[in-house]
Amino acid sequence: MEADELLLLVARGDQNAFEQLYTLVSGPVFGLVRRVVRDPAQSEEVSQEVLLELWRSAARFDPGRGSALSWILTLAHRRAVDRVRSARAAGEREQREAQRAHHPAFDQVTEEVEAGLEREWVRRCLNRLTALQRQSVTLAYYDGYTYREVAERLSLPLGTVKTRMRDGLTRLRDCLGGAA
């Protein structure tokens, strides 16, 4: 049986169909979640949550709107992104709390001088990029555009922008790393 037929049976509470569907989709679900979450243990946990949600919400599947596999992978992607966002938010909260709890004494003049030197260092390294690389990096990192938006603004294929970004960032890393 295919995933669409199995999911319709699962919606009616068929445990045997769920076992078959689990076997069929658990690999793709884990693979997708693993690419988003990256941590293997977290990926296993999220995958199990997705498959449990699949059992509970199978009745919401509408075959008229797409295939069962795409519906299941959409559930998995959403759950994985939620996990990443949740972890990021928790980390930011912890960091803010740590900053509130710890206020080291610092010399403001020294901090400003160091920041100015770092800005000049980055400026020099940016000037070592080709004009095309610098344009792409500037749009993405200083103006906040996504790679796709950079490609649209420059009327270039996305792959070209990605290549320019990769090469430019590699050159920047080498330049900035060499001055450390």
Side-chain angles (χ1 to χ4, degrees):
M1 270 191 205
E2 291 191 345
D4 293 36
E5 297 169 73
L6 291 170
L7 190 54
L8 292 173
L9 292 172
V10 170
R12 290 187 227 135
D14 186 337
Q15 291 181 357
N16 185 37
F18 180 72
E19 289 176 19
Q20 291 177 43
L21 185 62
Y22 185 99
T23 301
L24 185 66
V25 301
S26 61
V29 166
F30 179 77
L32 174 73
V33 170
R34 180 78 164 88
R35 282 192 301 277
V36 174
V37 175
R38 298 216 169 112
D39 177 70
Q42 292 263 346
S43 297
E44 288 177 11
E45 186 175 313
V46 171
S47 296
Q48 288 303 314
E49 291 172 9
V50 168
L51 293 165
L52 182 61
E53 181 179 352
L54 181 59
W55 171 254
R56 291 180 184 152
S57 64
R60 291 187 317 190
F61 169 65
D62 179 4
R65 296 184 68 193
S67 73
L69 186 58
S70 65
W71 184 74
I72 294 166
L73 292 177
T74 298
L75 290 176
H77 185 262
R78 287 180 182 158
R79 183 63 65 107
V81 168
D82 287 347
R83 177 62 63 95
V84 170
R85 286 179 179 157
S86 175
R88 184 177 298 143
E92 289 171 359
R93 273 192 307 275
E94 290 172 8
Q95 189 175 24
R96 282 193 303 271
E97 286 301 319
Q99 287 174 346
R100 283 187 203 128
H102 178 70
H103 295 288
F106 71 96
D107 181 350
Q108 187 173 356
V109 173
T110 302
E111 291 283 327
E112 289 176 12
V113 168
E114 287 177 1
L117 290 172
E118 288 173 1
R119 278 193 300 274
E120 181 56 34
W121 185 13
V122 170
R123 209 174 294 125
R124 267 192 254 127
C125 288
L126 273 171
N127 286 332
R128 291 184 182 175
L129 301 180
T130 67
L132 299 173
Q133 290 170 342
R134 185 172 43 256
Q135 183 182 35
S136 296
V137 169
T138 300
L139 284 170
Y141 287 92
Y142 288 100
D143 296 337
Y145 291 106
T146 65
Y147 285 16
R148 184 171 307 284
E149 291 169 336
V150 170
E152 289 170 6
R153 287 185 62 86
L154 299 178
S155 300
L156 294 170
L158 180 59
T160 301
V161 169
K162 287 181 177 180
T163 299
R164 284 183 186 172
M165 294 295 295
R166 184 195 66 229
D167 294 347
L169 292 174
T170 299
R171 290 180 72 181
L172 275 175
R173 183 195 66 216
D174 292 346
C175 178
L176 293 171

